[in-house]
Amino acid sequence: MLFPGKWYKKHLKNNLFMKIILIFSIIAVVTTITFSYLMFLLMSQSVVQRQLEIQKRTVESVNDYMQHKYNAVQTMMRDVYRDSELTANTSYLLEHPYQDYVTYRLDRYLNETSTTTDSVQFFRNQLEDDPDIRRLLLYSSVKQQLYVFNDRENFNIISTNAAHSLVPDALYLEEASSVTLPNIWVRKTISLSDSPMFSIRVPINDKQSLRNIGQLLVFYDADHIWKSMGDYKDDFKGDIIVLSADNDVLFDSSGTFYGKKYPYPEQIEAIYADGEKVNGMLITKLTHTQGGFTVLSAVPERELAATYRGLRNMIVIICLICILFAVITPSLFISNFATRAHNIIRFTRKVKNGDLDARIADVKEDELGQISKSFNDMLDELNLYIDRVFKAEIKQKHSEISALEARVNPHFLYNTLEVIRMRAISQGAADVGEMIYSLSVLFKSYVHPKAKHTMKDELEACRLYLELFRIRYKDKFSYELHCPKELEGRVVLKMSLQPIVENYILHGMRTDRSDNHISIHLAKEGVILRAVVTDNGRGIKQERLEQIQHDLLDKDSSSESFGLRSINERMKLLYGEPHGLAVDSEEGKGTTVTVCFPDLGEEEPTYV
């Protein structure tokens, strides 16, 4: 898993095309999301306004229906008062027993030349004219009787004497209300079902004395309120509630609160304009001042949000499609451009690694095509230049290498003979023969060189040289050579390790100690053969170490570190970077010299 910093370095820091795609994608995504969000706000507000308009029209329709029923009952009584005979008959019916009313009607019929209007028939006709009426009741407060007209054209007289019924007291208490729920005691008395209804009440007064003699109660089917909503009920969200002046629920489209007190009176009191939000509800109301009823619509905000949820999903889908189109299409174009650019980079790296025959196959005539053509032309010119000039320089470098090797061999022979001479002078021991034998073998290896010089040959030269000094110093000196079997046949540069060993013997070994030790370890690391020469000798002073390291980097230096510098120069000339030699030392603890060979296999070396 890549951390953000590593991911940035790997994919973005040095990748211009990825940066272009990323920046363009961010701009496209932000622009599309912003535009989609603004569109959503605009369209959602339009949906909300439309729902508010439906809510308002629905409330107005229900209010018109309730007002129409209220006006119908008021008109019913006005018609009674406008007809003096009907008024007289109605007053007589409410103030006398029904038998007396029948006798009264017969007497007037016989004495009058024209027929008089029958109050019972008049109210029966009103019931027949309005199919929404479930019951029409005339209550006589004088006789404490109910005259009940039902929708099956039946006419009943029910006694409601206060000694045996609560109806007179109940009707007296509700006398001031116009539009209410049907009184529970009246419903029980007339055996009315519990289906939703509302009642409209009008007092009946004697026309002459203005004394109240009863009430007219009309019970309407509340289900017809829902029908009055017309075409709006299909699109309407939320609930329609009709309240009486006492906050009794006359109608509830959800069926939850009918017949109960409305539990949220603060919603009614807080509304001053249509479409106000109260406790998460969008409220619209209309109040009829004469009838005292209120039509209320309440839409939960979550239901209102559901009206534009489909719109939101559609906009999200369109937004995603636009983002994909806006990102993928330019990305494909830029990716194609990036592929061609990376192809050019890949070919330049081939050339950098020595493949001067590489050519870019890009036939397009755009900018990258022109770069490719110019690159190919440059390689053609470069090959001509190499044929003329560079090969001559290579020959010159080979001559310099031969001169360096010629300088190393006499230097080595001189030092070796000096050691043998000193040994012969100091003591005429029998081991001098061994030393001379080792020296003769060493000479033979340089006088008669092999067709290819391997790591095994170089290590054998080091062993012969070290053996000379092991014999000389006996128990004061030891050495160790370690080379994996598979690396012994690798071709290496001749005299690449022996001068390092010689430097230790001449400058690093401490003859006053008995634990002098030097080791050579070989290992393969990728395409590099690494030889590490480690000793525990005197070490090198810091100033001198810095000078040696500087001389290894400066090929024109004329310092005294000829052996090390000659190895490093030959390695650089033949194989280039990163091959060569590195020195690390600490005074009094020893020195470590690391030599990096190219892995040339077991074939003849090929010079770069």
Side-chain angles (χ1 to χ4, degrees), residues 52 55 239 241 262-285 296-304:
L52 289 176
Q55 199 175 4
D239 300 315
I241 300 171
Y262 189 61
Y264 310 109
E266 68 278 1
Q267 291 182 350
I268 304 172
E269 298 173 359
I271 300 303
Y272 297 97
D274 292 340
E276 287 196 11
K277 292 182 181 179
V278 180
N279 297 333
M281 307 286 285
L282 205 64
I283 308 296
T284 301
K285 76 170 184 177
L296 190 73
S297 76
V299 181
E301 287 187 274
R302 63 178 182 274
E303 285 192 26
L304 197 60

Side-chain angles (χ1 to χ4, degrees), residues 124-245:
R124 180 174 291 158
N125 291 339
Q126 299 299 320
L127 180 67
E128 294 174 355
D129 291 340
D130 192 345
D132 295 347
I133 298 176
R134 296 288 300 277
R135 295 289 187 275
L136 190 151
L137 286 75
L138 288 175
Y139 172 68
S140 170
S141 58
V142 177
K143 304 301 294 180
Q144 295 186 349
Q145 287 182 334
L146 280 175
Y147 299 90
V148 183
F149 301 84
N150 61 33
D151 50 6
R152 293 186 295 274
E153 298 184 357
N154 293 329
F155 172 65
N156 297 321
I157 302 173
I158 301 175
S159 175
T160 58
N161 189 283
H164 306 286
S165 173
L166 295 176
V167 171
D169 294 334
L171 293 179
Y172 174 78
L173 293 175
E174 296 178 352
E175 194 173 43
S177 302
S178 296
V179 182
T180 62
L181 288 169
N183 185 273
I184 186 172
W185 301 110
V186 174
R187 293 184 73 143
K188 289 183 178 180
T189 301
I190 64 176
S191 301
L192 191 62
S193 65
D194 292 332
S195 59
M197 286 182 285
F198 65 94
S199 67
I200 298 178
R201 181 192 317 274
V202 178
I204 302 175
N205 300 322
D206 184 84
K207 192 173 181 180
Q208 301 298 326
S209 64
L210 300 180
R211 179 176 57 86
N212 181 266
I213 58 175
Q215 297 179 26
L216 169 64
L217 289 89
V218 182
F219 291 177
Y220 285 95
D221 190 344
D223 288 337
H224 288 275
I225 296 177
W226 179 253
K227 296 178 182 178
S228 71
M229 295 168 63
D231 297 334
Y232 298 116
K233 63 184 178 182
D234 295 330
D235 297 326
F236 179 79
K237 305 294 181 182
D239 300 315
I240 285 288
I241 300 171
V242 181
L243 304 176
S244 69

Side-chain angles (χ1 to χ4, degrees), residues 94-142:
L94 296 179
E95 294 179 321
H96 299 83
Y98 182 71
Q99 293 80 2
D100 293 347
Y101 169 74
V102 174
T103 303
Y104 171 77
R105 285 273 299 118
L106 289 173
D107 291 340
R108 294 200 64 179
Y109 177 77
L110 295 174
N111 296 327
E112 300 287 338
T113 56
S114 61
T115 59
T116 59
T117 304
D118 182 5
S119 296
V120 174
Q121 187 60 44
F122 172 80
F123 289 107
R124 180 174 291 158
N125 291 339
Q126 299 299 320
L127 180 67
E128 294 174 355
D129 291 340
D130 192 345
D132 295 347
I133 298 176
R134 296 288 300 277
R135 295 289 187 275
L136 190 151
L137 286 75
L138 288 175
Y139 172 68
S140 170
S141 58
V142 177

